[in-house]
Amino acid sequence: MLDLLIIGAGLTGLFAAYTAARAGLRVRVIAKGMGATHWHAGTIDLLGYLPNGEEPVANWMHALPQLPSSHPYRLLGEETITKALGDFQRLTAAAGLPYQRAHANMNLPVASASEEQTSHNLEPDGHVRDATPGQNCQLISPVGAARPVYLAPTAQLAGNLEDEQPLVIVGLEGMPDFYPALIAENLQRQGHRARSATVALSPLTRRSDNSPLQVARMLDQAAAQAQLAEMVVDVVEAGERVGLPAVLGLSAHTRLLTLLHETIVDRGSRTSQSHDGPRAGLAVFEIPTLPPSVPGMRLDTKLRAQLARLGVRVEIGMEVCGVRATNRRIEWIETETGSRPLRHRAHNYLLATGGILGGGIRGNRCGRVEETVFNLPLSAPQTRSQWLRPLFLDRQGHPVFQGGVSVDARFRPLDQAGAPVYDNLWAAGAVLAHTDPIRERSREGIALATGYAAATAVASGL
Amino acid sequence: MQTVSLNSVGMTLDACIKCNICTSYCPVSEVTDSFPGPKYAAPQSERFREIGLPLSEAAADSNSPSHGRGQSPDASVDYCSGCRVCNEVCPTGVRIAEINARARAHMVATQGLSLRNRLLGRNELMGRAGSFAPGLANFILHNPLSRRLAAVLFGVAAKAPLPRWHHETLNRWLARTRAQRLRCERKVVYFHGCATQYYEPFVGIAAILVLEHLGYEVVVPPQNCCGLPMLSNGEFGAAEGYHRRNVAGLAEYVRAGYPILGTSTSCTLTLKEEAPELLDLEDDAGSQALKFATWDIFEWLRDGLDQGQLPSDLRPLNRTEQPFILPYHAPCQLRAHRIGKPALDVLARIPGLDLRESHARCCGIAGTYGYKTEKYQIAMDVGAELFDYVAAQAEESDSVAAGSVSFTACDSETCRWQLEHGTGLPSLHPIELLAASYGLYDLQARRPVDGN
């Protein structure tokens, strides 16, 4: 029998599965469909805004004590969060998709050396060495706003707005879902030196309406990479760093990043109009796009590959339709099929189905807000008129998005009286109460840290 | 003709949040511009189709205000292969592939059906016709000249992996070996499907041998094509005839509580879900009873395994100490059952078997799709992901130390033929491996070890 059955295949579920499998547990992941990883920017946002804060959080470690005591981060504490992030960094580095802090490392990524490079940052005890721990950086959103981000894949690092180097945002004619002029204008209004430019995709494809993913697949080809590099370098002026939509290849993007960087640096040194000295960072970076998110898919692919290597099966297309519990223990759950329900048995169950966006929480027309798998008690308002505040962009956010499953320090869901609902049920990720991950810009941080903590708690109880 | 205005398929339309995950994973739109992707062909185009409105005479009259209702804004939906990967990955539960199947049926109802698609939908008829003289039929169908003619005249791709008639149908084997068949109280019904009856009776034989080894009498009642080839070619009326005959023919066994087991994942999926759902038979008592009585054979075997009822006398498939490396592809049609990968769960019990699970989305053939000249290359391009996976396993393996890859395995017949076509390796049904491991079946000769 399985030690742990995880419901949900987003970042929470996959990272919890990784953590549990490495602790020696027999794990399986089931989910209704592909996870919300496909919708996010591919960065690890840890804590960008405090519940009432207007100003972005500069350092999440400093901001932690200001969070309400019921917030999942307060249940975890800085040490557990740091451990989870360290494990995530080691996992992604080993998978060839290293995640780093924009401050900590601005070296040129070379495909073959990426693993070695990241390992330089690891202390002998496995912790990531860091001069300014907890410091967020500011990356660029798809509309040109500043996004507080903690860890970013190499492809996005050079977009850090704390760096003063001028920016050119390059759009692709033939990929309508990216707006270079809008981004540049918004950046200018925020005091950055930025302009926009466009290169045509027509030499590469006859299609005039390409999705981010179509462009990314095309740019996995070496010939297309070379051609794009030539076109991009023509619109870059000396001393500029180049922001491109996050479509620079699905599987071979490191090669294209390196090629773009080298082509730009090479051209810059030949024209020698720049008086800047040699720079540490990349000359090029990616800006996330509208979904499908290519950086999110890269991360999802790497996580799944790692799980397959650990013998963990991830089965999607499975929606829970029945639960049986006796004596405060989940005995089995059932998922719907083309015929009779399919029964799954495990010693432990981890709920990682997400919030309203991910489908873990559903509101109905009568105003009831429900947890969709176990019908657990929720902290969300159960009256429709109390779901939302009158202002769409209210700085306090909206109550319905802050509602969720309350858990104890071991991440077991609690009933109204504050006792665990089931002894073998755990919950992690956006389904949790007392956090508003989208508003807080804490989605991925909550996913990794609580997924890690819940999986660790399950492992320690066996 | 469709009649129902609100149905379980159409109702899922509003669940679409336009997240594009379906289009990201659609294997067809990745390789061709002929298909814009599931999101565009299903939830978005469906808004223009006025779902569920019957194609009344008024709608066909160009002067009527309801003219054109139910029609597709463009014909690209015909390039949907029906693999259902979109349904599988959709995080909000939209029945995208079924919306497309209904849209295609609307097109067929208004514009008619080509002779080629009519023929491809009638594999039972083709199978039966050829089985009277299999040698002659194989010669007629498989010589290069007739394949060229079929390509030019009908649009059946010249290189596509058409099956060969077996010299003996499953029914004739059953009649010939009647004396050796197990008779007992515990009974199961076997639904063989057309491919097993006419082209691969050895798959059915392997299934029967395993079930008898477990102590079950295997009842093989007269049965029809499940109707799926017609459903996927938009010929809903004829498919309904087949389905209703199966419901009637199997009713007495369903009532008696016998499980209906199938080795063809697409047939069992059709009995369980596709036919009742697409043909609006979800309220039909007979269809519903058959739906809940039908099992994929490994789904049923896994149930037995979980209850400790599967004999454990499984032997290694290799006589030597080498592991038997086997790339296994769970076909889309099986994944659409939403029962996990039961063959993996059961085959994992075979000692020395090194199963390598392919995560490829689709082999490309999608039933009759890859047999059409205009779609053959699309099917091969879709399948490349799987063929490359198999090739990588073969390259990785070292025939001296670690065993070699000499087979692939897959639960669905057309997928196996496409796998053979794309990799050059024979492709087995997992039940053949289980039968071999029980010592009942010869994998190389694909026949029972007793020579029958």
Side-chain angles (χ1 to χ4, degrees), chain A residues 301-445:
Chain A
T301 307
K302 295 293 186 189
L303 288 172
R304 281 164 190 272
Q306 197 64 33
L307 289 177
R309 228 165 279 137
L310 290 167
V312 177
R313 259 156 70 185
V314 180
E315 286 182 349
I316 58 166
M318 292 193 169
E319 185 178 6
V320 177
C321 63
V323 173
R324 165 73 167 271
T326 44
N327 297 329
R328 293 206 323 173
R329 285 190 74 80
I330 307 283
E331 225 176 280
W332 45 253
I333 62 169
E334 285 182 337
T335 53
E336 69 88 39
T337 78
S339 174
R340 70 203 64 74
L342 177 66
R343 199 162 283 182
H344 308 255
R345 287 175 193 274
H347 294 298
N348 296 280
Y349 300 82
L350 172 61
L351 183 70
T353 44
I356 290 176
L357 181 62
I361 294 174
R362 185 169 49 209
N364 70 18
R365 275 156 221 238
C366 306
R368 270 198 61 77
V369 183
E370 295 165 334
E371 187 276 305
T372 51
V373 174
F374 298 100
N375 197 18
L376 294 169
L378 292 181
S379 65
Q382 297 292 344
T383 309
R384 194 168 174 151
S385 59
Q386 290 170 10
W387 281 5
L388 309 167
R389 286 183 219 280
L391 288 177
F392 178 63
L393 294 176
D394 196 300
R395 59 153 65 175
Q396 291 182 68
H398 298 288
V400 73
F401 299 130
Q402 288 147 9
V405 174
S406 299
V407 289
D408 67 6
R410 301 182 65 211
F411 286 85
R412 286 180 303 177
L414 299 174
D415 60 21
Q416 264 94 5
V421 185
Y422 302 109
D423 291 334
N424 60 344
L425 177 64
W426 318 75
V431 75
L432 296 177
H434 315 300
T435 170
D436 188 348
I438 294 178
R439 216 204 94 73
E440 289 170 5
R441 291 235 159 263
S442 64
R443 271 173 59 108
E444 297 83 14

Side-chain angles (χ1 to χ4, degrees), chain B residues 124 128 170-172 174-175 181 183 187-194 196-198 208 211 217-226 245-256 258-262 271 290 293-294:
Chain B
E124 180 185 290
R128 195 184 316 143
L170 181 69
N171 277 345
R172 284 188 211 137
L174 279 168
R181 301 276 60 85
R183 298 274 172 263
K187 292 182 175 57
V188 293
V189 170
Y190 177 52
F191 191 90
H192 47 65
C194 308
T196 305
Q197 173 73 289
Y198 301 111
I208 291 164
L211 293 167
E217 177 180 335
V218 182
V219 183
V220 187
Q223 50 194 266
N224 273 123
C225 168
C226 66
R245 282 201 291 282
N246 276 326
V247 169
L250 296 169
E252 67 172 293
Y253 305 101
V254 173
R255 267 196 304 274
Y258 299 158
I260 315 289
L261 312 182
L271 298 183
L290 181 56
T294 304

Side-chain angles (χ1 to χ4, degrees), chain A residues 83-104:
Chain A
K83 268 191 199 160
L85 293 174
D87 271 9
F88 176 76
Q89 284 188 279
R90 272 183 290 277
L91 158 65
T92 49
L97 185 70
Y99 273 71
Q100 296 160 56
R101 302 239 342 267
H103 312 272

Side-chain angles (χ1 to χ4, degrees), chain B residues 62-384:
Chain B
S62 59
N63 296 320
S64 148
S66 57
H67 171 68
R69 278 188 182 169
Q71 289 187 10
S72 289
D74 67 65
S76 67
V77 69
D78 187 48
Y79 274 84
C80 167
S81 77
C83 69
R84 303 177 189 82
V85 168
C86 45
N87 292 9
E88 186 185 16
V89 297
C90 176
T92 62
V94 184
R95 305 284 292 168
I96 304 163
E98 285 71 20
I99 292 173
N100 286 348
R102 281 170 177 263
R104 185 185 286 127
H106 274 287
M107 280 168 56
V108 167
T110 49
Q111 296 158 20
L113 187 65
S114 70
L115 177 62
R116 191 259 324 262
N117 289 7
R118 202 172 285 274
L119 283 174
L120 287 175
R122 281 168 176 70
N123 54 348
E124 180 185 290
L125 196 68
M126 307 278 286
R128 195 184 316 143
S131 68
F132 291 111
L136 181 66
N138 284 330
F139 173 76
I140 293 173
L141 190 65
H142 284 281
N143 76 70
L145 182 66
S146 38
R147 288 304 297 267
R148 278 206 60 82
L149 272 175
V152 174
L153 292 177
F154 300 125
V156 176
K159 284 192 265 174
L162 284 175
R164 289 178 170 274
W165 279 272
H166 198 265
H167 62 83
E168 185 177 52
T169 64
L170 181 69
N171 277 345
R172 284 188 211 137
W173 179 83
L174 279 168
R176 181 163 63 78
T177 62
R178 187 158 54 200
Q180 296 150 43
R181 301 276 60 85
L182 183 69
R183 298 274 172 263
C184 66
E185 278 304 299
R186 300 201 300 169
K187 292 182 175 57
V188 293
V189 170
Y190 177 52
F191 191 90
H192 47 65
C194 308
T196 305
Q197 173 73 289
Y198 301 111
Y199 311 121
E200 299 187 325
F202 40 84
V203 170
I205 293 169
I208 291 164
L209 295 177
V210 168
L211 293 167
E212 290 181 346
H213 185 67
L214 267 62
Y216 286 88
E217 177 180 335
V218 182
V219 183
V220 187
Q223 50 194 266
N224 273 123
C225 168
C226 66
L228 181 62
M230 286 173 167
L231 288 173
S232 36
N233 283 291
E235 214 184 338
F236 279 18
E240 184 169 342
Y242 274 144
H243 182 65
R244 284 191 185 277
R245 282 201 291 282
N246 276 326
V247 169
L250 296 169
E252 67 172 293
Y253 305 101
V254 173
R255 267 196 304 274
Y258 299 158
I260 315 289
L261 312 182
T263 42
S264 169
T265 50
S266 48
C267 302
T268 45
L269 182 68
T270 306
L271 298 183
K272 279 180 174 181
E273 186 168 55
E274 289 294 296
E277 200 172 74
L278 290 177
L279 301 170
D280 285 320
L281 294 171
E282 286 170 305
D283 295 327
D284 178 77
S287 275
Q288 285 301 296
L290 181 56
K291 171 193 179 88
F292 290 108
T294 304
W295 300 73
D296 167 68
I297 190 162
F298 273 93
E299 179 191 12
W300 186 82
L301 288 169
R302 180 180 60 187
D303 223 45
L305 179 72
D306 290 346
Q307 292 164 27
Q309 291 165 357
L310 214 60
S312 57
D313 56 331
L314 290 157
R315 307 172 207 164
L317 295 165
N318 269 353
R319 297 229 173 79
T320 60
E321 292 295 299
Q322 290 177 343
F324 189 102
I325 300 173
L326 185 71
Y328 167 75
H329 175 64
C332 330
Q333 316 259 7
L334 173 75
R335 304 203 311 271
H337 285 243
R338 283 110 62 208
I339 53 173
K341 295 177 181 149
L344 276 184
D345 296 327
V346 175
L347 294 186
R349 298 298 171 107
I350 298 180
L353 179 60
D354 179 0
L355 279 168
R356 307 271 175 93
E357 181 191 357
S358 124
H359 293 278
R361 286 163 287 176
C362 178
C363 72
I365 195 99
T368 59
Y369 187 85
Y371 291 104
K372 302 170 180 172
T373 39
E374 75 279 14
K375 288 159 186 149
Y376 169 78
Q377 196 52 48
I378 296 173
M380 292 305 285
D381 292 345
V382 167

Side-chain angles (χ1 to χ4, degrees), chain A residues 37 48 79 139 172 201 219 364 428 430 447:
Chain A
T37 332
E79 197 187 324
L139 299 186
L172 305 174
L201 282 177
L219 290 177
N364 70 18

Side-chain angles (χ1 to χ4, degrees), chain A residues 158 162-167 193 238-241 276 279 282-283:
Chain A
E162 285 153 15
D163 186 332
E164 288 183 351
Q165 196 188 357
L167 299 135
R193 284 182 291 164
E240 283 177 333
R241 53 185 164 148
D276 298 346
R279 288 181 32 79
L282 275 173

Side-chain angles (χ1 to χ4, degrees), chain A residues 207-225:
Chain A
R207 200 169 3 206
S208 57
D209 182 5
N210 292 277
S211 78
L213 185 62
Q214 283 166 331
V215 181
R217 281 178 179 144
M218 188 170 69
L219 290 177
D220 278 339
Q221 315 299 322
Q225 294 193 337

